[in-house]
Amino acid sequence: MKPWHYVAGELHIEQVPVADLAIRYGTPLYVYSAHAITARWRELDQALSGQRHLICYAVKANSNLSVLRLLTDLGSGFDVVSMGELDRVIAAGGRPDRTVFSGVGKSTAELRYALKTGVHCIDVESIAELTRLGEIAAQLGQAAPVALRVNPDVDAATHPYISTGLRDNKFGIPLAQAEPLLRELQSDPRFALKGIACHIGSQITDLQPLRDALTSLLDLADRLGAQGIGLEQIDIGGGIGIRYREETPPSLTDYGRMLSDQFAGRPETLVLEPGRALVGEAGVLLTRVEYLKTQSARRFAIVDAAMNDLLRPALYQAHHDILPARARTGEADLWDIVGPVCESGDFLGLARRLALQAGDLLAVSDVGAYGFVMASNYNSRPRPAEVLVSGAQHRLVRRRESLEALYAAEIDPEEGDRR
Ligand code: LLP
């Protein structure tokens, strides 16, 4: 669900003209629609209403505290992959006992923190991690709630950088190893076995690989059940894609129905870890055209947002639609929309048909997931501000970074000389 539309030629997010936001808060600016996030979360929750389930929003997709608070208020749980993300969930009022801790390389400090804060479950990804967690649990005198992340060896047919369920990926424990390990876990007093988990990749636009992964998990659960080992939960991970361009991802209703159908009559709780599907379409990045420039056969629109603000085009050659804040009637040309960073890979979109003038405002769409969270300070550029829109209301949910913040953690060179 796209949160934007044109009213009399002016681009709006919900009821707010984006031009007003750009003037009020400056550019580049991330803008999120509370309504779009709410609608997506509710659609998924509704589709699963016949089934005991826990939606654990993947915090890595967009970790702004106000986004986390909105999801907390809807009743969401969370999926975190670091101490930083767990801390954010707590700061936003989210419940650790509805939070799963995933990730392939949790440190000792992170495992301790997870146990101390009382997370719902730790998704363990290797025998080495299990050994470490067992030691920590014994020290704390507390049984660690665990799920085993298995690798179902399913091809998610997505970008190789974001495919995670194949045998050769670094993620999870091979299915064949999982069964004996789960038997051991069941009888080890240092652990409270919760269940099994997987996550096969991201931006998946076909239900089949997800169905295959769930089948694989359910078969494993049934084999364990036959040996008297009952699981409390089965976690299918995240991964459902959105429409950036011509993709035709399943609706969340269809996704939820597929899961419910396969799960019908089972005793376990279904856990999900969606990120992009809940917040991806809810965000735009507003950026203003600084200069227009024609060089040999190409036309460049140099805008004030760059690869440090939105990395996906440079990193994955990802497509994001770029919309004018006010539709112009003039002749449209093909423009490369590029940023001020000193790299040729610094583009937001190539060969976009637009009628442009310097000073125009543009909106890069579908950046609610993996947008701000992947921003950096490369070229010593302060990261953008973030705004949350709800109906006709808007509010700043992260201030634009100041220049001083860029080096606030660095040691004053004069002080260093004195040491
Ligand atoms: N659970 C686990 C264990 C994950 O690793 C991920 C994402 C998710 C859930 C959420 O997946 P989603 O529903 O958002 O697909 N930066 C990339 C995406 C990386 C996703 C990594 N893992 C991008 O910009 O496309």
Side-chain angles (χ1 to χ4, degrees):
M1 189 202 141
K2 310 288 179 196
W4 50 262
H5 57 277
Y6 284 91
V7 180
E10 292 270 356
L11 185 66
H12 286 58
I13 302 287
E14 299 196 25
Q15 293 163 38
V16 182
V18 296
D20 291 0
L21 296 173
I23 289 167
R24 171 82 181 265
Y25 303 106
T27 54
L29 181 72
Y30 274 95
V31 182
Y32 311 121
S33 155
H35 176 71
I37 298 173
T38 303
R40 294 287 279 179
W41 194 93
R42 290 211 171 120
E43 183 184 348
L44 182 58
D45 190 52
Q46 189 62 37
L48 294 166
S49 57
Q51 175 61 49
R52 193 156 356 103
H53 68 276
L54 177 60
I55 300 175
C56 292
Y57 164 70
V59 172
K60 65 169 79 65
N62 185 326
S63 55
N64 184 284
L65 292 184
S66 297
V67 170
L68 300 184
R69 169 61 64 87
L70 175 68
L71 287 158
T72 299
D73 290 346
L74 289 169
S76 193
F78 297 96
D79 164 49
V80 300
V81 291
S82 69
M83 198 139 76
E85 285 188 354
L86 179 53
D87 218 34
R88 277 181 178 273
V89 166
I90 295 168
R95 283 170 48 180
D97 65 349
R98 291 170 76 82
T99 300
V100 298
F101 201 128
S102 311
V104 73
K106 301 172 207 80
S107 68
T108 299
E110 285 176 323
L111 292 171
R112 265 181 188 281
Y113 189 62
L115 287 182
K116 285 197 166 154
T117 49
V119 294
H120 173 68
C121 166
I122 299 174
D123 285 2
V124 168
E125 297 216 18
S126 66
I127 295 174
E129 184 188 350
L130 209 50
T131 308
R132 190 186 288 189
L133 180 60
E135 286 164 13
I136 298 168
Q139 282 162 15
L140 296 180
Q142 187 180 342
V146 287
L148 216 56
R149 174 164 171 186
V150 299
N151 186 330
D153 193 22
V154 168
D155 186 355
T158 183
H159 192 290
Y161 284 15
I162 52 178
S163 178
T164 48
L166 282 168
R167 199 181 315 144
D168 291 343
N169 291 138
K170 68 179 172 182
F171 300 99
I173 293 174
L175 265 180
Q177 273 181 33
E179 204 175 315
L181 204 55
L182 284 157
R183 275 197 300 268
E184 277 176 42
L185 271 179
Q186 163 80 0
S187 54
D188 189 328
R190 297 171 305 164
F191 300 108
L193 177 60
K194 289 274 178 190
I196 48 179
C198 78
H199 171 77
I200 60 169
S202 197
Q203 183 53 14
I204 300 170
T205 53
D206 178 8
L207 285 181
Q208 195 55 43
L210 291 158
R211 196 181 280 127
D212 293 346
L214 182 55
T215 303
S216 202
L217 258 56
L218 295 181
D219 287 350
L220 174 58
D222 289 343
R223 287 199 298 279
L224 292 162
Q227 300 162 49
I229 302 171
L231 302 178
E232 281 176 36
Q233 69 186 45
I234 294 187
D235 180 344
I236 183 68
I240 275 285
I242 60 170
R243 184 185 177 98
Y244 287 102
R245 195 181 196 174
E246 283 140 4
E247 305 92 328
T248 49
S251 68
L252 289 179
T253 302
D254 288 347
Y255 173 56
R257 284 214 187 109
M258 180 277 282
L259 295 173
S260 290
D261 287 350
Q262 263 189 292
F263 230 78
R266 298 197 65 100
E268 302 95 345
T269 298
L270 172 64
V271 178
L272 304 93
E273 303 170 1
R276 185 187 327 256
L278 298 183
V279 296
E281 294 185 356
V284 300
L285 173 62
L286 301 183
T287 182
R288 206 173 277 288
V289 177
E290 295 277 7
Y291 303 104
L292 297 180
K293 173 169 173 177
T294 305
Q295 209 113 298
S296 75
R298 297 202 83 92
R299 289 174 196 277
F300 294 102
I302 301 160
V303 298
D304 63 5
M307 64 188 286
N308 73 292
D309 304 304
L310 177 67
L311 186 58
R312 301 192 76 256
L315 188 58
Y316 312 116
Q317 282 72 54
H319 175 95
H320 289 265
D321 279 341
I322 299 180
L323 315 160
R326 166 176 272 280
R328 272 193 190 284
T329 43
E331 180 93 352
D333 284 306
L334 287 182
W335 293 96
D336 287 353
I337 312 296
V338 303
V341 160
C342 308
E343 299 217 19
S344 295
D346 177 26
F347 62 89
L348 300 178
L350 300 177
R352 300 307 175 86
R353 188 164 294 285
L354 289 162
L356 285 184
Q357 285 182 16
D360 279 1
L361 183 66
L362 299 173
V364 186
S365 72
D366 307 307
V367 300
Y370 308 110
F372 183 90
V373 287
M374 290 172 75
S376 76
N377 293 124
Y378 186 39
N379 279 206
S380 283
R381 290 169 51 85
R383 285 176 296 174
E386 298 177 286
V387 165
L388 187 64
V389 170
S390 181
Q393 312 287 319
H394 47 89
R395 89 193 143 81
L396 190 64
V397 292
R398 181 181 168 107
R399 282 185 287 276
R400 186 172 302 286
E401 237 164 9
S402 67
L403 290 180
E404 302 77 62
L406 295 177
Y407 50 84
E410 291 173 34
I411 311 295
D412 182 340
E414 297 211 357
E415 193 186 319
D417 287 346
R418 284 196 296 272
R419 286 228 184 118

